Amino acid sequence: MSENLTLVQAVRDGLRDEMAEDDDVLVMGEDVGKNGGVFRATEGLYDEFGEDRVIDTPLAEAGIVGTAIGMAAYGLKPVPEIQFSGFMYPAFDQIVSHMARLRTRSRGRYTCPMVLRAPMGGGIRAPEHHSESKEAFYVHEAGLKVAMPSTPYDAKGMLIASIRDPDPVIFLEPKKIYRAFREEVPDGPYEVELGEAAVRREGSDLSVFTWGAMTRPTLEAAENMDGDVDVEVVDLRSLSPLDEDTIVASFEKTGRAAIVHEAPRTAGVGAEITATLQEEALLHQEAPIERVTGFDVPFPLAALEDYYLPEPERIEDGIREAVEF
Amino acid sequence: MVRVLDEDGELVGDAEVPDLDDEELVEMYRQMKLARRFDERAVSLQRQGRIGTYPPLSGQEGAQVGSAMALGDDDWMVPSYREHAASLVHGLPLKETLRLWMGDENGARVPEDVNLFTVAVPIASQIPHATGLAWASKLKDEADRAFLCYFGDGATSEGDFHEGLNFAGVFDTPNVFFCNNNQWAISVPRERQTAAETLAQKAEAYGFEGVQVDGMDPLAVYKVTEEAVAKAKDPDDGELRPTMVEAVQYRFGAHTTADDPSVYREDAEVEKWKAKDPIPRLETFLQRTDRLDDEDVTAIEEDVEDRVADAIAAAEETPRPDPVEMFENAYAEMPQRLEEQLEWFQRIRADHGDEALLED
């Protein structure tokens, strides 16, 4: 059996199935209980599992993450939600100093198998600090895994895989596509393994590496250019660990690449992919690797956000640059 | 402020000796002597370059040993980075503490059967962990465990302190928050941490009890902590489980061996507090009540000297950890990238040899 779900419904479905499967899994955060989350990602869970497993906490990001670390170390599997990824910074110390390092610091005596969920990214006309895309912060931190789905099927499967993972996972949900489309999602728990990219579109002229909400405009650009340029689109899905094999294999096939991300360009994950291709596949390279990204500015408010976010036109330009070199 | 022994080792007013037998009282004294000697030797080892930066505890023996002895084996201890004595009482060998400050992370690997959390350096950051551990225990319906978390006076200014205590109050978790108020957060005095009259009164804002205790009086510390631990497990009707204990005391030495306290505090202040030293205070009491004599003191001093020397020898004999451990402990399973980095590193080691890679 399966259901036609949006991405945010698939998140909820994943939480529900895994909570039913494993009594140690619990959800916590601000407004996640009776209210069902501001994006409804936890809707109905409070009624189904009760206040000890779907916990409305005080408004305190460091407190939410810090107590979840203690719970995880004590054998539970907390899935805390931070309402917007732009509000993760008050908890940043807990994330990088403790969540990421507990296994290392205790030489394996204590571990931190938790999943920190947060809606991320722009494109929903939100107020300041509601549109950030700072996945690179967390990719840079050893000890963490970082996942970002771009489809409902992946959202559910990757979330379940994250909850079952023995290490802490930052699970970033691109909120622009929370309700943008539907997809058949199987009933019951299943896993989409972390660390595996998905080739969303096969092509022979150029590879585009992207993730999250940018996957759709990238696919749109690829369709627009069809017949002109044969574009391969690789959705990374997991940003840490990064699926180097798929990235390199795609580049070796096409010899040209563009990287599309909405995060600021400098020291973004795109820079890491570029460096990887230089190291692993230099002799296959036919053209400079293009980066189509957000700008190195704070995320703008609604009036300017369309200019900030890569759209199909900008992506097409990037692809053309690499192809026409 | 709760007190049992005055500075001369006499019982204060009608204070009662806590429910400890003679042997346990002498053990408390022995552990304090051990902590003091360990601390002196550790500072000296740092000066000789045999260990790295070290945070001394002298002055805190009463607070650390008194509180730790109030815990049962099943109770949990969540330390900051200065609780060498408390951790020792709760089961972490001195050798491991030395190894940690010698730069070997294996020193922070707590034995499986010891309920002690790993050392935390960022100030106050361990407080929400302690709340989470206690909360998890409550959610698992254990109901027979208390979680004691140590931090200093400076920590009470941090957001993590407030968030950790606030969660503990809201979710009524079995916590004891134990503030070693040693008057100075490196060079910044207690008065610069808060305009509040006491640190203990902060508990009130979170809905539970705060207790101020003479932190240089091990018997008072024991009594207060024991009561807090009992309440965490079995509160009276209408009473919340958590307690915040403020143990008023003094750090005799530097914040760490990298710090020079003569820059920011007066000798007269140090002398004033040294007159309250918990060790002679308990010794006088035990001698006066015939629980201890000069011969016992000498025997304890000899024993302590041997134990510290043995710990130092054992720590120094421990070989440098295998650098592969750096790679092995970051994730449950090593990611491909890290495997490649490890392979590269092993190649460098093989090509150049460890000697070439290590600074003299």
Side-chain angles (χ1 to χ4, degrees), chain A residues 252-265:
Chain A
E252 284 179 351
K253 181 173 78 173
T254 62
R256 294 168 195 268
I259 297 153
V260 180
H261 63 64
E262 62 175 280
R265 174 175 308 211

Side-chain angles (χ1 to χ4, degrees), chain B residues 14 96 141 174 195 262 269:
Chain B
D14 55 358
E96 304 301 336
D141 291 324
S262 71
E269 179 185 289

Side-chain angles (χ1 to χ4, degrees), chain A residues 35-249:
Chain A
N35 194 39
V38 291
F39 285 101
R40 302 286 172 262
T42 55
E43 194 166 45
L45 300 180
Y46 181 86
D47 290 336
E48 193 170 343
F49 297 103
E51 62 176 7
D52 281 350
R53 294 187 65 198
V54 185
I55 305 169
D56 274 325
T57 66
L59 200 176
E61 287 80 9
I64 292 168
V65 177
T67 54
I69 290 167
M71 288 178 161
Y74 207 74
L76 298 179
K77 290 183 182 170
V79 187
E81 173 183 296
I82 300 295
Q83 209 154 65
F84 288 87
S85 68
F87 303 152
M88 285 164 79
Y89 313 126
F92 199 73
D93 178 53
Q94 287 293 344
I95 295 168
V96 299
S97 301
H98 296 290
M99 186 177 156
R101 297 168 69 127
L102 195 55
R103 177 186 295 278
T104 294
R105 196 183 319 111
S106 66
R107 283 292 182 259
R109 164 78 199 267
Y110 302 113
T111 61
C112 196
M114 59 185 274
V115 181
L116 181 59
R117 291 182 44 245
M120 61 73 61
I124 65 157
R125 310 285 187 250
E128 197 183 6
H129 300 299
H130 287 66
S131 304
E132 293 21 52
S133 43
K134 297 295 172 64
E135 59 268 28
F137 289 166
Y138 309 106
V139 171
H140 195 62
E141 189 61 34
L144 298 176
K145 293 184 176 178
V146 182
M148 197 191 299
S150 73
T151 70
Y153 179 89
D154 280 0
K156 178 173 174 177
M158 286 166 64
L159 179 58
I160 289 172
S162 298
I163 294 171
R164 293 177 181 178
D165 198 284
D167 288 315
V169 180
I170 305 282
F171 196 83
L172 297 168
E173 298 163 10
K175 57 185 174 290
K176 182 178 167 62
I177 54 169
Y178 257 160
R179 296 186 172 81
F181 59 101
R182 289 174 181 275
E183 188 179 39
E184 287 295 315
V185 170
D187 287 335
Y190 63 93
E191 289 186 53
V192 173
E193 200 179 326
L194 300 181
E196 287 193 1
V199 178
R200 297 290 181 201
R201 186 183 197 276
E202 302 258 359
S204 56
D205 293 338
L206 169 136
S207 306
V208 185
F209 302 106
T210 190
W211 53 93
M214 289 298 107
T215 307
R216 288 168 62 79
T218 300
L219 285 166
E220 193 183 324
E223 292 303 322
N224 292 345
M225 302 179 85
D226 201 25
D228 188 10
V229 185
D230 189 17
V231 178
E232 176 146 309
V233 177
V234 180
D235 172 6
L236 298 183
R237 302 197 287 198
S238 167
L239 301 172
S240 178
L242 207 52
D243 183 354
E244 258 181 57
D245 293 346
T246 301
I247 294 169
V248 170

Side-chain angles (χ1 to χ4, degrees), chain A residues 24 26 28 52 55-58 60-64 66-71 73-76 93-94 97-98 100-110 141-145 166-167 240-242 244-245 272 276 280, chain B residues 76 105-106 108-122 124-126 128-129 131-133 135-137 139-140 142 145 147 160 163-164 166-167 170-171 325-326 328-333 335-337 340:
Chain A
D24 287 334
L26 62 86
M28 60 197 287
D52 281 350
I55 305 169
D56 274 325
T57 66
E61 287 80 9
I64 292 168
T67 54
I69 290 167
M71 288 178 161
Y74 207 74
L76 298 179
D93 178 53
Q94 287 293 344
S97 301
H98 296 290
R101 297 168 69 127
L102 195 55
R103 177 186 295 278
T104 294
R105 196 183 319 111
S106 66
R107 283 292 182 259
R109 164 78 199 267
Y110 302 113
E141 189 61 34
L144 298 176
K145 293 184 176 178
D167 288 315
S240 178
L242 207 52
E244 258 181 57
D245 293 346
E272 185 57 41
T276 301
E280 304 295 328
Chain B
W76 278 74
E105 249 157 327
N106 288 312
R109 194 190 192 292
V110 178
E112 289 293 338
D113 57 345
V114 176
N115 291 342
L116 172 68
F117 212 54
T118 305
V119 165
V121 169
S125 61
Q126 73 279 15
H129 305 163
T131 304
L133 291 162
W135 192 2
S137 171
L139 289 169
K140 288 171 175 234
E142 292 180 337
R145 289 179 186 201
F147 295 74
D160 277 349
E163 297 187 27
N166 190 43
F167 273 62
V170 168
F171 296 104
E325 288 180 14
M326 273 195 296
E328 283 173 344
N329 289 296
Y331 295 91
E333 260 184 69
Q336 184 191 335
R337 288 199 145 202
E340 289 164 7

Side-chain angles (χ1 to χ4, degrees), chain B residues 50 95 98-99 102 104 309-321:
Chain B
R50 288 158 70 187
K95 180 190 86 166
L98 283 169
R99 282 173 79 192
M102 284 173 173
D104 175 356
D310 289 350
I312 294 169
E316 291 194 320
E317 279 162 18
T318 306
R320 187 190 295 275

